[in-house]
Structure formats: structure tokens, C-alpha cells
């Protein structure tokens, strides 16, 4: 299943990302902001737990997100601002990392580095802003499943219909929450209209 956001603020922010005059600092902050909203759209998937807190009138049982059960896993590099944004909302969530790079000739992804905590019994949230062919996300999810992840949610910013379909076909058990699905992939496997290379835009390596 995939769910594209209908939130007008999300759409506004995605269009800020498309504008080449949006410099890298603002680009990262905008990704952080979109990620926080898209994460809250996936909230129904997060387990809650009754927690006893101390209020101004004494102890009270309240429902809190079971943050200890969440593991956030960005696909570096472009997934890093997504992690930063969500950690501002859920600072006690655990994080792990996958570093992948797409070969720009073949569009095949390659895993360069991984560091993930134990994933059994956790809700694993994979963070990848761009879903072009879907190859990086599919490989990332494969990796996490091989590491024992049973429940995975995908949060994404921009996708091509082809990539989103490929991911949902390869991993029908993973629910994707995505800010915007664009028109198509171009001949170089870039999303159109898209926003260019998200990693380059975020880390100022495009100029
Ligand atoms: C980008 C993006 C995704 C991937 C999407 O990463 O962040 O991970 O491309 O393309 P796909 O769906 O065709 O696999 P990239 O490999 O450019 O690395 P970067 O984040 O370091 O820029
Ligand atoms: N990766 C990006 O950053 N942008 C695209 O359009 C495709 C892959």
C-alpha cells in the first residue's frame, strides 16, 4: 500500500524544494519539515503504550507513542535531513544507517555501509527522500528484512509512479507514505518534474 499526502502544506513545501533558488540549508530544513508531517500521517501505524506521567495535579495514565519500539533508518546521504527532522519530534527513537549510492549509468544501487541496531519486535521506519526506479529503496528494505525486521514503514518525499509501483510490488507488506508522486522517470532515470539530485541539492555538491 502507498499513500500520497494530500496536505496542502506538504505540497507547498515540496514545490519549495523544486525551486533551484532554494539553497542547500533551506533545502535540508524543508526536507526536515516535510518528513515530520509525513511521519505524523503514518502515526496510526505507531504502537502506543499506557504510560504513567506526573502532571501538575499528580500521576496520570496517558497514551504515548512507544518510542523505544521505533527504529529510524535513513538511506544516506539524502535521507539524513529526514532523520534530523523526525528526531526533533521523537528524540528518543533509535536510529540505524544504510549508505547507498546509485550508479548513474545503470541506476543500480550499491550498499557501502550499514550500522543498524537489533530490529526484531521493532517498527522500522526507512527514510529515503527519492523513489526513482525504486531500486535503492527495494534493496534497503531487502537488507532490513534479512536483518530481522518484521514491520517496516517507508517514508518518502518524491517518487515516480514506476518506482512507487516497483516498491509496492516487491514489498507489498511495507506501507509507503510519500509526500508527492510526480509524472514520470526520464531517460536518465530522474524524476520529472522532480527536483534534481536530492543529495547534491542538500549538501551543495551540485554547483
Ligand atoms: C538518490 C536518492 C535515493 C536514490 C533513488 O540517492 O536519495 O536513494 O537516489 O533512486 P532509485 O529509486 O532509482 O534507486 P543517490 O544514489 O543519488 O545518493 P545520494 O543520496 O548520496 O545523493
Ligand atoms: N535520485 C535523485 O536524487 N533524484 C532523482 O530524480 C532520481 C534519483
Amino acid at each position: 500500500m502507498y499513500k500520497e499526502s494530500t496536505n496542502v502544506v506538504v505540497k507547498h513545501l515540496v514545490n519549495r524544494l523544486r525551486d533551484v533558488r532554494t539553497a542547500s540549508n533551506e533545502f535540508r530544513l524543508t526536507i526536515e519539515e516535510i518528513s515530520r508531517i509525513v511521519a505524523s500521517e503514518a502515526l496510526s501505524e505507531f504502537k502506543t503504550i499506557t504510560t504513567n506521567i506526573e502532571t501538575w495535579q499528580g500521576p496520570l495514565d496517558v497514551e504515548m507513542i512507544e518510542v523505544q519500539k521505533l527504529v529510524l533508518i535513513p538511506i544516506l546521504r539524502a535521507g539524513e535531513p529526514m532523520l534530523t527532522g523526525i528526531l526533533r519530534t521523537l528524540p528518543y527513537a533509535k536510529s540505524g544507517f544504510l549508505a547507498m549510492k546509485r550508479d548513474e549509468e545503470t541506476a543500480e544501487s550499491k550498499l557501502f555501509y550499514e550500522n543498524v541496531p537489533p530490529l526484531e519486535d521493532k517498527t522500522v521506519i526507512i527514510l529515503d527522500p527519492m523513489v526513482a526506479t525504486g531500486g535503492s529503496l527495494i534493496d534497503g528494505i531487502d537488507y532490513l528484512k534479512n536483518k530481522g525486521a518484521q514491520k517496516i514503514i517507508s517514508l518518502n518525499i518524491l517518487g515516480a509512479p514506476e518506482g512507487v509501483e516497483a516498491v509496492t510490488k516487491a514489498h507489498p507488506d511495507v506501507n509507503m507514505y510519500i509526500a508527492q508522486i510526480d509524472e514520470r522517470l526520464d531517460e536518465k532515470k530522474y524524476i520529472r518534474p522532480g527536483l534534481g539530485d536530492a543529495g547534491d541539492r542538500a549538501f551543495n555538491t551540485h554547483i
Side-chain angles (χ1 to χ4, degrees), residues 72-126:
L72 305 170
I73 307 214
I75 297 186
L76 304 177
R77 183 195 31 158
E80 188 278 331
M82 297 187 74
L83 176 69
T84 301
I86 296 170
L87 278 180
R88 249 187 299 135
T89 310
L90 302 169
Y92 296 109
K94 294 182 194 303
S95 304
F97 297 87
L98 296 180
M100 300 177 88
K101 183 83 192 96
R102 190 175 86 145
D103 181 318
E104 292 305 340
E105 296 297 315
T106 62
E108 298 274 316
S109 71
K110 189 169 170 206
L111 180 71
F112 284 96
Y113 173 80
E114 65 82 21
N115 191 335
V116 300
L119 303 177
E120 292 83 8
D121 303 329
K122 299 286 194 286
T123 297
V124 179
I125 304 175
I126 189 165

Side-chain angles (χ1 to χ4, degrees), residues 26-135:
E26 188 191 344
F27 188 91
R28 287 194 308 276
L29 290 173
T30 305
I31 290 205
E32 290 176 23
E33 204 53 43
I34 296 170
S35 304
R36 297 174 79 196
I37 303 173
V38 174
S40 70
E41 290 176 354
L43 202 64
S44 61
E45 303 235 12
F46 300 170
K47 284 189 192 133
T48 61
I49 187 166
T50 305
T51 311
N52 189 266
I53 60 163
E54 197 62 33
T55 76
W56 66 297
Q57 290 185 320
L60 183 69
D61 282 342
V62 293
E63 285 299 303
M64 302 284 281
I65 293 171
E66 201 172 9
V67 180
Q68 293 78 3
K69 291 266 181 189
L70 297 181
V71 182
L72 305 170
I73 307 214
I75 297 186
L76 304 177
R77 183 195 31 158
E80 188 278 331
M82 297 187 74
L83 176 69
T84 301
I86 296 170
L87 278 180
R88 249 187 299 135
T89 310
L90 302 169
Y92 296 109
K94 294 182 194 303
S95 304
F97 297 87
L98 296 180
M100 300 177 88
K101 183 83 192 96
R102 190 175 86 145
D103 181 318
E104 292 305 340
E105 296 297 315
T106 62
E108 298 274 316
S109 71
K110 189 169 170 206
L111 180 71
F112 284 96
Y113 173 80
E114 65 82 21
N115 191 335
V116 300
L119 303 177
E120 292 83 8
D121 303 329
K122 299 286 194 286
T123 297
V124 179
I125 304 175
I126 189 165
L127 309 171
D128 189 359
M130 309 300 280
V131 186
T133 63

Side-chain angles (χ1 to χ4, degrees), residues 143-175:
Y143 184 85
L144 298 176
K145 285 184 175 174
N146 285 333
K147 280 273 182 179
Q150 287 144 5
K151 164 95 179 144
I152 303 177
I153 298 170
S154 176
L155 302 186
N156 313 97
I157 308 283
L158 203 58
E162 299 91 326
V164 172
E165 195 187 323
V167 175
T168 50
K169 202 164 163 195
H171 294 291
D173 55 322
V174 174
N175 289 343

